[in-house]
Amino acid sequence: MGTKNCINVWLTLLLLNLIPSLAAIWGSRYYMVTIPAVLEAGAQTKFCASLLEPNETLTMTVTLKSGEKNTTLYEKTSSEEFHECIQFQVPLVKNEEVQKLEVQVQGNTFYSEEVRKVLIKAYQPMTFIQTDKPIYLPGQTVRFRVVTMDTKFRPASQLYTIIKLEDPNNNRIGQWLNETSNSKILQLSYPLNSEAQEGSYKIIVSAGENKIQHNFKVEKYVLPKFDVTINVKEEVSVGQEVIEAKVCGKYTYGQPVPGNVTVKACRPFVDYISKSQRKETPCDIQTQKADKTGCSTFEFQMSIFTRGDQTVLQDKLDVTATVEEEGTGTSLSQVKQIQISYVIGKLSFVDVPNVYDQGSVVEGKVKAVHYNDTPMSHQSLYLLKDYNWPPHVLQKLTTDVHGFASFSLRTDALTEDIFLRVKQVSPLPSLSYSTYKVPHIPIASHTITKSQPPSVTTTSSLNIKNKTILPCDKETEIFIEYTLVQESPDSVDFIYLVLSRGAIASQGRILVEVENKSVNEGEVSFKLNVSPDLAPEVQIMVYAVLPSKKVISQSTDFSTEKCFNHKVSLEFSSSSAVPGEETKLQLTAQPDSLCGVSAIDQSVLIKEPGKTLDPEKIFSLLPVRKVSEIPSEVVEPMDCLLELLMSRCCLKLNNPFYMKVLLTHLFMDMKKLGLKMATNMFTGLLQCSKILSTMSSVYDYGKAEEILEPIKTVRTFFPETWIWDLVETGSSGTKNVSLTVPDTITTWE
């Protein structure tokens, strides 16, 4: 049997298999239960249940089944639609265990049952180590803390069977046995020998089956008195004439550094070019005197770095800035890389519809801007149709002073989707010229779909507008754009799920009225309270069952500000003080909290940047920040029609026709979010294993029964670590601490 006949036969079998399921959907009475594929053992979590268009009284029962016990999580009888999320306690397991979620929906004339596997997993407590600074001189005292929390950032009791300190040769030079946290902060110290070997040292903490390691340096060093910053764009275009760079030198106490500033910018050769083949590296060196703010601004001509054969040069600039202090000759350098782009402009379609009706006039605009987003006026452009060769030029456009060019197309003779392209005018309107190391404006594209009568597939769509970073502890609005094609007038529920750290945080629905027209387009929104429990990542999915019983969906990931439930603040009685002055530190947190407070000379952070504890390091401890797949242990072992088609007819997954027939966006969006779906809808056919392949320096750890004895350390007149204390706030939640300002003239962080 030929391939074509084979496809026809198996497609017929496929449709015969689909007809009963589709008939069940079109006969209404369908439901959906959504639950994360992985559940944290012992935690409170949620699943969401929906019942749509019941034409009789139905009872939904959700049961979690294990080999030892069956637990009814939810039971509801209703003759009306509902969408709700239910919170329940996940059973405790030792390590991990696969259990089954059974969903039954039954009435007088209807019965359906779906079973899905879920993985219950026990997460270990999270432990981190903090040293008072990242680098030490031989003879100094290493002070460190060990903190253990659960996945909700709550303090947890933990026995540390052994804590050891190793030198660069992996020799154990210190150890502590059977220390316990008692749900507090464990604080320890170790005095280094005055002849201690220079190199990288390790603190290793054994907590249960886990080992946590923290590194620090020991070396003979002199702290820098000032810092150097380079302010320059991360990427520059060969289309610009000048590259600007601003360099500043500031003392650690905030004052500008007087002296000279030298900047060297070079474009290096590619690695495979031998030294004998290399000519002089394109470089430019400039020196200026710092102004009264300690800064200097430099301008480099782009032409210096684009002369000659550019194929032997890397697409980057290495910028080295050096500040030399006046009077002492002390200098400090910083290095930064700038990427070089050959894109000199950008084209885009504006106000162009996504769907058209045959016989209508399609109108829209093209926008052209330079590399710096300024309008590209009087620019000649080709408006092209399809991917054909030679390209089919529809119109030649010219932008106005604002960079816009309008166009219109009649669609009387068109019977398919319109694929539009726009490109700058060149000698030939080619779509395939090489852009490698050639200044160019990328081709822009836009597809206008021809409206179709209802079918198995749909051109209706949803789009969640993305924002850069969601602000914490604030209410933000999430906008959803929708396009509904060839749908009969009715009300449609847009159902949204909000997930964080692999769990469902909330659910809601938005009612949309479908008007009597071929294309309904619009925008709806819902308000999301971005609480600390949602940080640092939020995943949102929106789906809708349309009047034609087709399902559309979309999911999007959002980043949030990194924040915590326990708010801690500290304030000095004065923002500046002279050496030896008495000052007060006011610490505010929740009542009866134990807080770790530290203050370090900013010079240490200039020498070893990025080595201190910060919110990102805390959030990186989470076992789950966001989910992108379903574990193989709980992929449903069902026969797959697509696998059958592939094996018999040699079809491939990237065949768009069969992907449209067999896959729905809803199922794929669920999979991307790590969600399991128990439903009697069309998507249930597709579950196949072959298709699914500011904390700053202060921390609040809740209530403390008692404060650990402070470690007695020898303080010098110029300490690099000024404050390293555990402070209990008491019942008022506020504690005032008297301090003496060190003699070091610097900024303390």
Side-chain angles (χ1 to χ4, degrees):
M1 182 183 295
T3 301
K4 183 175 180 181
N5 291 333
C6 176
I7 293 175
N8 290 334
V9 169
W10 286 105
L11 181 57
T12 302
L13 291 175
L14 168 65
L15 294 175
L16 288 174
N17 277 277
L18 292 181
I19 286 171
S21 296
L22 293 174
I25 294 173
W26 293 333
S28 72
R29 293 181 298 186
Y30 49 98
Y31 61 89
M32 179 186 298
V33 174
T34 306
I35 190 169
V38 181
L39 306 173
E40 181 181 357
Q44 291 283 336
T45 193
K46 294 178 181 178
F47 67 88
C48 295
S50 299
L51 181 64
L52 302 174
E53 297 187 13
N55 54 12
E56 62 175 305
T57 299
L58 298 174
T59 299
M60 177 185 290
T61 305
V62 181
T63 307
L64 188 62
K65 293 187 171 184
S66 67
E68 302 175 353
K69 183 180 179 182
N70 295 339
T71 304
T72 299
L73 304 180
Y74 178 71
E75 187 172 63
K76 181 169 182 173
T77 300
S78 178
S79 59
E80 298 180 352
E81 289 189 359
F82 63 79
H83 307 276
E84 56 186 59
C85 289
I86 300 93
Q87 184 165 295
F88 70 100
Q89 179 91 24
V90 182
L92 289 169
V93 298
K94 287 185 178 180
N95 187 14
E96 60 180 45
E97 180 181 311
V98 175
Q99 296 191 10
K100 293 183 178 180
L101 186 82
E102 180 185 84
V103 179
Q104 289 184 342
V105 178
Q106 57 184 335
N108 291 331
T109 62
F110 178 82
Y111 178 83
S112 179
E113 177 182 305
E114 293 287 338
V115 179
R116 298 291 180 266
K117 292 187 293 185
V118 293
L119 179 65
I120 299 178
K121 194 170 185 178
Y123 294 125
Q124 297 300 315
M126 307 180 299
T127 300
F128 69 87
I129 304 167
Q130 179 197 20
T131 51
D132 63 326
K133 54 181 186 165
I135 188 169
Y136 298 86
L137 288 165
Q140 289 186 333
T141 297
V142 179
R143 291 177 281 186
F144 64 96
R145 296 169 179 149
V146 184
V147 180
T148 297
M149 308 167 292
D150 65 13
T151 56
K152 305 296 183 185
F153 296 120
R154 297 173 299 202
S157 290
Q158 180 67 54
L159 174 66
Y160 310 117
T161 52
I162 183 170
I163 301 173
K164 56 185 179 180
L165 180 61
E166 293 184 353
D167 67 11
N169 297 321
N170 297 324
N171 297 315
R172 187 180 305 181
I173 60 174
Q175 72 174 23
W176 297 260
L177 299 176
N178 296 322
E179 296 281 352
T180 182
S181 65
N182 290 325
S183 296
K184 296 189 295 186
I185 304 171
L186 177 63
Q187 187 160 283
L188 301 169
S189 65
Y190 181 85
L192 293 169
N193 189 288
S194 59
E195 301 297 325
Q197 179 183 353
E198 295 185 51
S200 179
Y201 286 66
K202 294 179 288 188
I203 301 172
I204 303 172
V205 175
S206 296
E209 299 178 356
N210 298 327
K211 286 189 176 182
I212 301 93
Q213 179 176 308
H214 180 83
N215 292 8
F216 62 88
K217 286 183 182 178
V218 174
E219 66 178 54
K220 296 175 183 178
Y221 60 86
V222 177
L223 290 178
K225 297 191 299 181
F226 57 86
D227 191 17
V228 176
T229 58
I230 305 174
N231 187 3
V232 68
K233 289 186 177 180
E234 299 289 335
E235 184 178 86
V236 294
S237 168
V238 294
Q240 63 190 84
E241 296 181 359
V242 173
I243 304 168
E244 288 191 358
K246 184 177 182 180
V247 179
C248 296
K250 294 289 179 70
Y251 288 109
T252 56
Y253 49 87
Q255 295 299 311
V257 178
N260 293 325
V261 182
T262 300
V263 178
K264 180 180 181 180
C266 295
R267 186 175 180 183
F269 286 95
V270 293
D271 296 334
Y272 59 81
I273 299 296
S274 64
K275 291 184 179 180
S276 60
Q277 294 177 298
R278 298 183 183 188
K279 299 179 181 179
E280 185 178 356
T281 303
C283 287
D284 190 12
I285 303 175
Q286 299 181 24
T287 300
Q288 296 181 17
K289 192 172 183 64
D291 61 20
K292 61 181 180 180
T293 66
C295 299
S296 294
T297 301
F298 298 83
E299 291 187 350
F300 297 93
Q301 297 298 315
M302 177 62 76
S303 59
I304 295 174
F305 310 106
T306 55
R307 295 171 184 162
D309 184 6
Q310 297 182 54
T311 61
V312 299
L313 299 173
Q314 297 186 43
D315 292 340
K316 68 175 183 178
L317 292 178
D318 292 331
V319 179
T320 303
T322 303
V323 175
E324 182 179 334
E325 186 182 30
E326 189 176 75
T328 65
T330 302
S331 63
L332 186 67
S333 299
Q334 289 287 358
V335 177
K336 196 164 187 178
Q337 283 190 346
I338 306 172
Q339 297 301 313
I340 297 176
S341 170
Y342 284 87
V343 174
I344 60 173
K346 183 171 61 177
L347 302 174
S348 59
F349 285 92
V350 180
D351 298 332
V352 182
N354 295 316
V355 181
Y356 80 94
D357 290 321
Q358 187 176 16
S360 64
V361 176
V362 173
E363 296 181 337
K365 298 177 184 177
V366 173
K367 182 181 179 182
V369 295
H370 292 286
Y371 66 90
N372 57 359
D373 289 331
T374 57
M376 191 178 291
S377 60
H378 309 297
Q379 173 68 44
S380 296
L381 304 170
Y382 283 125
L383 181 65
L384 310 171
K385 180 177 178 289
D386 298 332
Y387 298 93
N388 300 331
W389 181 259
H392 179 191
V393 179
L394 292 174
Q395 296 175 25
K396 186 176 180 180
L397 309 175
T398 302
T399 60
D400 58 20
V401 292
H402 302 293
F404 288 96
S406 300
F407 67 88
S408 62
L409 301 173
R410 294 204 59 84
T411 62
D412 304 80
L414 300 180
T415 59
E416 297 178 342
D417 297 348
I418 306 172
F419 301 99
L420 296 179
R421 302 287 183 272
V422 63
K423 69 178 294 291
Q424 67 185 122
V425 169
S426 54
L428 291 174
S430 168
L431 286 173
S432 59
Y433 68 91
S434 173
T435 59
Y436 178 66
K437 294 195 184 255
V438 175
H440 66 281
I441 302 174
I443 297 171
S445 61
H446 183 80
T447 300
I448 309 175
T449 306
K450 182 180 182 296
S451 62
Q452 300 287 345
S455 61
V456 176
T457 60
T458 178
T459 54
S460 298
S461 63
L462 295 172
N463 177 49
I464 304 173
K465 285 187 176 180
N466 207 336
K467 295 185 177 181
T468 50
I469 297 179
L470 301 181
C472 198
D473 287 321
K474 291 183 180 178
E475 193 175 67
T476 189
E477 197 163 10
I478 306 297
F479 291 92
I480 305 159
E481 297 174 325
Y482 65 87
T483 301
L484 308 181
V485 180
Q486 296 291 349
E487 294 292 338
S488 57
D490 202 347
S491 297
V492 175
D493 280 322
F494 286 10
I495 302 169
Y496 61 86
L497 293 175
V498 179
L499 296 94
S500 179
R501 306 179 194 175
I504 297 174
S506 63
Q507 179 214 40
R509 61 176 177 169
I510 306 168
L511 187 65
V512 174
E513 294 295 334
V514 181
E515 299 178 7
N516 187 18
K517 54 184 181 180
S518 60
V519 179
N520 282 262
E521 292 183 294
E523 183 178 87
V524 293
S525 67
F526 66 92
K527 294 186 182 298
L528 176 65
N529 182 22
V530 185
S531 67
D533 291 331
L534 296 183
E537 307 276 352
V538 173
Q539 296 176 282
I540 296 176
M541 189 187 76
V542 181
Y543 65 90
V545 180
L546 304 181
S548 62
K549 302 302 179 288
K550 292 174 289 189
V551 180
I552 56 174
S553 68
Q554 205 222 359
S555 63
T556 303
D557 295 347
F558 294 84
S559 294
T560 75
E561 292 178 344
K562 296 177 177 64
C563 56
F564 301 89
N565 277 310
H566 291 174
K567 308 302 179 186
V568 184
S569 66
L570 57 82
E571 185 177 359
F572 284 96
S573 54
S574 176
S575 60
S576 61
V578 298
E581 180 182 344
E582 295 296 320
T583 187
K584 286 188 180 294
L585 171 67
Q586 185 178 78
L587 175 67
T588 304
Q590 290 187 2
D592 299 319
S593 292
L594 181 65
C595 300
V597 187
S598 66
I600 185 173
D601 188 341
Q602 191 184 59
S603 301
V604 177
L605 305 181
I606 294 173
K607 180 166 181 59
E608 292 291 322
K611 299 295 180 64
T612 55
L613 190 65
D614 57 26
E616 174 55 33
K617 289 184 173 67
I618 298 297
F619 279 109
S620 68
L621 299 172
L622 286 170
V624 179
R625 289 178 63 138
K626 68 177 183 179
V627 181
S628 58
E629 61 183 3
I630 293 176
S632 58
E633 298 96 319
V634 291
V635 171
E636 307 299 334
M638 299 172 64
D639 291 335
C640 177
L641 292 174
L642 182 58
E643 179 187 355
L644 183 62
L645 282 168
M646 290 173 62
S647 63
R648 297 300 181 94
C649 301
C650 305
L651 298 179
K652 296 183 178 180
L653 277 173
N654 61 5
N655 185 310
F657 173 75
Y658 290 100
M659 290 298 288
K660 285 183 179 180
V661 171
L662 291 172
L663 296 179
T664 67
H665 287 295
L666 177 61
F667 177 75
M668 299 307 293
D669 283 332
M670 290 276 187
K671 174 182 177 292
K672 286 191 297 184
L673 299 181
L675 294 173
K676 301 299 288 290
M677 179 173 55
T679 179
N680 63 335
M681 297 173 65
F682 172 60
T683 49
L685 293 171
L686 304 174
Q687 302 199 14
C688 169
S689 59
K690 296 297 177 68
I691 295 180
L692 298 176
S693 315
T694 351
M695 283 191 72
S696 61
S697 299
V698 185
Y699 317 103
D700 175 13
Y701 298 103
K703 294 186 177 181
E705 297 176 3
E706 58 179 343
I707 189 168
L708 296 176
E709 288 296 322
I711 299 172
K712 297 179 180 179
T713 58
V714 178
R715 292 190 178 273
T716 63
F717 198 56
F718 299 95
E720 294 175 5
T721 301
W722 173 23
I723 305 171
W724 183 259
D725 292 319
L726 297 178
V727 180
E728 192 172 9
T729 60
S731 58
S732 66
T734 301
K735 182 74 173 182
N736 291 314
V737 182
S738 297
L739 299 165
T740 301
V741 179
D743 287 342
T744 311
I745 300 177
T746 187
T747 297
W748 297 94
E749 293 191 5

